[in-house]
Amino acid sequence: MDRDTGSQGCLEIWTAEHYSIVRKCKAACRTQKGTQQKEALKQCHSELRKLLQKIQGLPPAVSSVPLELSVLYNASVLNLRLSANTREEDQAGITQALLRALEAAGRPGTGSDPLQLWRLVLQLLNWEHWEQWEPSLTQLACVQWAHWLCTCQLHCVRELLLWLAEARGWSLPACPGSPLDVQSVLVEESQSWESRAAPGEVLSAAQFRELLHTCTAITRGVEWMEAGQYQEALGGFQQAAVLPSPRPLHAQLLTLTGLCFLKLGKPQSGLQCYRQALEMDFGCLCALYQSCVVYRQLGEADAEIEALGLLYTAVMSPAHRDPACDSAALIGPESLLQSPTLICLLRKPHPSCVKHCLAQRSLQSGRTAEAVEHYLDLLALFQEGASQRVIVDNSLAFPRIPELYLEAAVSLLKARRYQDAITVCEEVVSKTGALVPERLTIECPPNTERDGLWAGESEKRESLNCVLWTAAACFLQGQAFTQLKEGKESLSHYSRCINLLVKVHVTYSERRGGDSEKSGVRSLQRLKSLAFTGRGLCFLERAQDREALHSFQLSVQTDPGVVEGLYWLLELLWRLGRREEALSCWRRFQSCTGRSAEEAAAAGQDLQGDYPLYLLSPLQGDAPRDWEGLSRRMLEECCPL
């Protein structure tokens, strides 16, 4: 009691100082924005920390503990708003405050386990000063909850909420094992928390608790998603949807619900959730992006491209590129939702990544003019030095810079802008050609993932990339010169492409198998086969049938899956009167693949997941191909009437 009396004079001064700081903080939130508001909040946080040091400079007393806890609460809330890297400091402050509270109550605690210290403090329920302390302890419980939520320690959150419920004598729900069930108990207490709210709060503990409820439900749901328990996650998100929450947070909740529906094989239900999320908050760009993903899975190219266009417009708007500090909410959901998986799911895509996705889908959907415009915009960004800002963003798959140039060249070829395509490819050759080794040996071990990487072979992998990029640029230049009717240049570039590719020697530890091949090697084989076919067509134009026949044969030997070479080999053999050879090749192909040549040609149109975009059927349009007529001739020869 003597200690309480001795500190009474200081307590009144500290209380007045505390209220003054809180008023200053609230005024900053109402009247200031952006950097100005942030600086004002930093100043308030600094003043609160200094005040806390003064209070803790004296031994703890029953009368000073509520003020000490309230000052710590306000300082912690501001710290949560201003910084995401002081979690250990926050927990140390909470632990110290709990120890001082127990000391003031005459029940000194030992140890530093915050969970056990909370259990000891909540056992003071029948103590005579409990009602005086309860509002401030409720504040501190919110801060502790936030700390454990940020560090994804949901088991600790669950224990704390259970003890709070037990301390107040409430009956637990039927299934208390879930954090959501425990939260449902506290929802019933909402009004009582508000009526006992402590004065001098920079953020109402009741409002803070509501935000914590929803964020905890989201974090728990994401844990279920990580474990593949999408039905449980869906139920958790739907239960959390009835809790009060800010519109942006509710939109994120709807987006996560849509992701669960998608994983459960219900894309239309997922789309409905995404639409609701965008109606709730059009700034929820992850919902718009996920809509694009669903449209792609459903094969609705037009809807996907429209959604990508809206997404690009949204991410380019100043409100999304330079978000201002929200003065209406002292703590936003982003301060509490720190799960790496959740951050990845809800990350805003980079404008250049969206632009590239839009360019690719336009090119794949036959919207050539739009694709060219998008690709040229991207190339202009790289020339302005924006590449570093693009590459560090992983929200969408973004190609390497040479691949982007090669895709742009393909779009220019399809738009019949052949000279521009040649110029773009020359840019690739000038940058990567000097990095091509004189000889490169690649060993493909057996039983490895199709698109895996060679462990410890990063240098060889990069050398292989340089060979592939440079050779692909030469190949596309050959395509352009073919269309410009410059046969000599076309033949020269196809030959240059082949000469680059033969620098790579591929060895296999065991029998070669389709699933054992690396994506880079498979792309190299496909490109070599296409280059042989292109060179063969050049020889045909020059009436050099023997050389053309040899090139087509090499094309088929290099990669039997590239049916362009097979078609021209069969056609030339047929025209030269070597029909038995043509029939033999035709039968051998059907025997090996189990399908007709025209079926293989049709299947070749859907290789987006297997090869880079710049290697997908680039020889289309060089000359007309009549697979049906060729097959009919073969059948008639095999089975004459």
Side-chain angles (χ1 to χ4, degrees):
M1 189 66 183
D2 292 340
R3 285 185 299 181
D4 286 348
T5 303
S7 63
Q8 195 62 41
C10 293
L11 185 61
E12 293 178 0
I13 298 173
W14 292 337
T15 301
E17 184 179 350
H18 179 222
Y19 286 173
S20 174
I21 299 171
V22 170
R23 286 194 297 270
K24 189 189 305 182
C25 178
K26 290 184 174 180
C29 289
R30 286 195 308 270
T31 62
Q32 299 175 357
K33 291 183 178 181
T35 303
Q36 188 180 18
Q37 184 192 81
K38 186 175 182 179
E39 291 302 317
L41 294 180
K42 281 184 177 179
Q43 180 62 33
C44 291
H45 176 259
S46 176
E47 292 176 7
L48 285 169
R49 298 302 299 186
K50 291 177 181 178
L51 176 58
L52 186 61
Q53 289 174 358
K54 286 190 283 187
I55 296 173
Q56 293 179 339
L58 294 178
V62 170
S63 58
S64 65
V65 165
L67 176 62
E68 179 178 343
L69 299 185
S70 290
V71 173
L72 176 59
Y73 167 78
N74 288 326
S76 298
V77 167
L78 290 181
N79 198 38
L80 193 62
R81 166 63 180 267
L82 296 169
S83 174
N85 301 314
T86 56
R87 303 295 177 227
E88 293 184 4
E89 176 186 333
D90 287 343
Q91 184 59 71
I94 296 171
T95 300
Q96 182 182 5
L98 292 174
L99 287 169
R100 285 173 59 83
L102 288 169
E103 183 181 348
R107 304 181 186 182
T110 58
S112 59
D113 182 358
L115 201 56
Q116 294 306 315
L117 290 176
W118 272 107
R119 188 174 187 85
L120 291 174
V121 168
L122 292 176
Q123 289 174 350
L124 298 174
L125 176 65
N126 297 320
W127 184 51
E128 60 178 318
H129 297 289
W130 172 258
E131 289 190 7
Q132 180 184 351
W133 283 19
E134 185 178 3
S136 298
L137 282 171
T138 296
Q139 292 176 329
L140 194 62
C142 286
V143 173
Q144 181 68 80
W145 184 353
H147 171 76
W148 280 332
L149 177 58
C150 289
T151 53
C152 299
Q153 299 182 68
L154 295 192
H155 62 288
C156 293
V157 172
R158 175 182 177 276
E159 293 300 316
L160 177 61
L161 298 182
L162 283 169
W163 291 342
L164 284 170
E166 291 173 357
R168 290 174 170 85
W170 300 316
S171 60
L172 296 175
C175 300
S178 162
L180 287 177
D181 292 326
V182 176
Q183 290 172 35
S184 66
V185 177
L186 295 183
V187 170
E188 299 175 3
E189 190 204 6
S190 176
Q191 296 301 319
S192 60
W193 272 36
E194 292 176 6
S195 64
R196 293 195 301 269
E201 296 175 317
V202 295
L203 173 66
S204 162
Q207 292 178 334
F208 195 10
R209 177 189 48 77
E210 288 178 353
L211 182 62
L212 287 165
H213 275 194
T214 306
C215 290
T216 301
I218 289 175
T219 302
R220 180 62 179 125
V222 170
E223 285 188 347
W224 275 320
M225 291 178 71
E226 291 174 335
Q229 298 174 278
Y230 296 106
Q231 193 65 54
E232 291 81 355
L234 178 62
F237 292 143
Q238 289 175 331
Q239 185 177 354
V242 304
L243 299 171
S245 60
R247 292 178 70 87
L249 181 60
H250 197 77
Q252 291 180 354
L253 190 55
L254 287 167
T255 302
L256 293 169
T257 305
L259 282 170
C260 289
F261 276 123
L262 197 60
K263 292 292 186 179
L264 293 170
K266 299 178 180 180
Q268 293 298 340
S269 297
L271 274 177
Q272 183 64 29
C273 288
Y274 299 147
R275 293 191 189 101
Q276 292 173 356
L278 291 169
E279 290 171 1
M280 181 70 64
D281 175 24
F282 190 73
C284 186
L285 301 186
C286 52
L288 192 51
Y289 169 64
Q290 291 300 330
S291 299
C292 301
V293 173
V294 176
Y295 286 133
R296 172 174 290 198
Q297 293 179 354
L298 295 175
E300 299 181 18
D302 291 341
E304 181 192 355
I305 291 173
E306 181 182 358
L308 283 169
L310 290 172
L311 179 59
Y312 181 70
T313 300
V315 297
M316 284 298 291
S317 67
H320 291 296
R321 285 185 294 171
D322 300 299
C325 190
D326 184 5
S327 60
L330 189 60
I331 293 182
E334 65 281 356
S335 299
L336 302 172
L337 298 173
Q338 298 295 318
S339 161
T341 300
L342 182 61
I343 292 172
C344 183
L345 288 173
L346 300 179
R347 178 182 294 157
K348 181 185 72 173
H350 191 283
S352 295
C353 295
V354 179
K355 188 75 165 178
H356 174 252
C357 195
L358 190 55
Q360 271 198 335
R361 296 304 290 146
S362 297
L363 181 59
Q364 292 166 339
S365 302
R367 300 187 179 192
T368 305
E370 296 175 30
V372 168
E373 181 181 350
H374 295 316
Y375 275 117
L376 293 182
D377 287 345
L378 282 168
L379 296 188
L381 282 175
F382 277 90
Q383 291 172 356
E384 293 171 3
S387 60
Q388 293 301 317
R389 295 195 298 274
V390 175
I391 292 173
V392 298
D393 187 281
N394 295 316
S395 53
L396 287 175
F398 198 83
R400 301 285 295 275
I401 296 175
E403 292 175 327
L404 179 65
Y405 272 75
L406 292 171
E407 289 179 16
V410 171
S411 71
L412 291 166
L413 278 173
K414 288 183 176 291
R416 301 184 179 182
R417 295 174 57 173
Y418 305 122
Q419 198 59 55
D420 289 336
I422 292 170
T423 301
V424 170
C425 288
E426 191 58 38
E427 187 72 17
V428 176
V429 173
S430 66
K431 294 294 191 297
T432 62
L435 303 176
V436 173
E438 282 300 316
R439 181 177 174 82
L440 179 63
T441 300
I442 298 294
E443 181 178 352
C444 284
N447 303 320
T448 50
E449 292 297 326
R450 189 172 188 174
D451 293 320
L453 302 177
W454 294 275
E457 294 283 346
S458 60
E459 185 176 344
K460 282 191 175 183
R461 186 169 63 248
E462 192 65 9
S463 295
L464 179 62
N465 284 336
C466 290
V467 172
L468 182 62
W469 295 331
T470 308
C474 293
F475 172 78
L476 294 176
Q477 286 178 318
Q479 289 277 284
F481 282 118
T482 296
Q483 299 300 330
L484 291 172
K485 307 301 181 184
E486 297 186 27
K488 185 177 180 181
E489 285 293 333
S490 179
L491 180 60
S492 172
H493 281 81
Y494 286 135
S495 297
R496 185 180 178 189
C497 172
I498 294 168
N499 291 336
L500 285 165
L501 294 173
V502 297
K503 292 175 180 287
V504 181
H505 179 62
V506 182
T507 62
Y508 297 88
S509 300
E510 293 183 1
R511 182 179 63 84
R512 175 175 172 172
D515 286 340
S516 298
E517 294 182 45
K518 299 299 183 190
S519 59
V521 173
R522 290 185 300 108
S523 296
L524 181 144
Q525 299 295 86
R526 176 176 174 80
L527 178 57
K528 189 189 297 184
S529 178
L530 290 169
F532 277 126
T533 302
R535 191 174 72 170
L537 290 171
C538 289
F539 284 132
L540 273 185
E541 287 288 325
R542 299 156 68 99
Q544 295 177 262
D545 291 347
R546 180 179 177 181
E547 289 80 359
L549 182 62
H550 182 58
S551 289
F552 295 144
Q553 289 171 333
L554 289 173
S555 174
V556 174
Q557 291 171 11
T558 301
D559 189 345
V562 179
V563 293
E564 286 86 352
L566 174 66
Y567 176 85
W568 290 109
L569 175 61
L570 296 176
E571 277 285 359
L572 184 54
L573 287 171
W574 197 267
R575 182 161 62 82
L576 294 174
R578 298 163 63 172
R579 298 188 175 186
E580 285 299 324
E581 286 185 58
L583 284 170
S584 177
C585 288
W586 186 63
R587 289 176 182 136
R588 187 162 57 250
F589 176 83
Q590 289 185 310
S591 174
C592 292
T593 63
R595 57 185 176 179
S596 66
E598 60 268 27
E599 288 173 341
Q605 309 306 311
D606 188 25
L607 297 172
Q608 284 88 342
D610 297 328
Y611 296 101
L613 182 59
Y614 54 86
L615 292 183
L616 296 179
S617 301
L619 284 166
Q620 285 185 340
D622 275 359
R625 295 195 301 276
D626 181 11
W627 280 108
E628 185 178 351
L630 179 63
S631 295
R632 186 168 55 249
R633 277 180 279 159
M634 296 291 174
L635 288 171
E636 289 173 355
E637 185 71 17
C638 290
C639 308
L641 294 176

